Amino acid sequence: MLLVGLGARKGWNRRAYRRAASAAAGALVKCGAKDALFLLALEPVPEVDAYYRARFLVEALGHATYRIPDLKTAKKPPAPQLARVGVAVER
């Protein structure tokens, strides 16, 4: 279980949410998790609807799992172990 906070509620905004999503995605990839369920998209963020909360999470996961395929230096980075991801959203 990985817990990521958004800080004080009065400071919640789009930037803080994206930062938290990026930190969560990076931590999941780094720790070698194979499955993940994001509940962060359920948290209400001012001026950000459910679509964009889920989208920010998916973008953060894409950035965290991307590996440059052709490095000319020493060894290649290991492939991420993350195989399945779920994002809980409100209806």
Side-chain angles (χ1 to χ4, degrees):
M1 179 181 290
L2 173 67
L3 297 175
V4 177
L6 291 169
R9 190 174 286 272
K10 68 179 181 176
W12 286 8
N13 57 27
R14 181 184 301 241
R15 175 180 267 177
Y17 183 81
R18 286 188 84 132
R19 211 175 283 154
S22 180
L28 280 173
V29 170
K30 196 173 197 179
C31 77
K34 293 183 175 132
D35 299 316
L37 174 61
F38 279 94
L39 301 177
L40 196 57
L42 294 174
E43 290 298 322
V45 179
E47 300 178 12
V48 181
D49 62 9
Y51 168 79
Y52 280 104
R53 290 192 306 265
R55 181 179 172 150
F56 293 157
L57 284 171
V58 172
E59 287 176 0
L61 281 165
H63 291 295
T65 57
Y66 179 74
R67 298 291 181 257
I68 298 171
D70 294 328
L71 291 177
K72 295 188 180 202
T73 58
K75 55 184 178 172
K76 294 182 179 184
Q81 299 296 313
L82 197 57
R84 288 189 316 178
V85 176
V87 178
V89 293
E90 61 192 30
R91 283 185 166 208

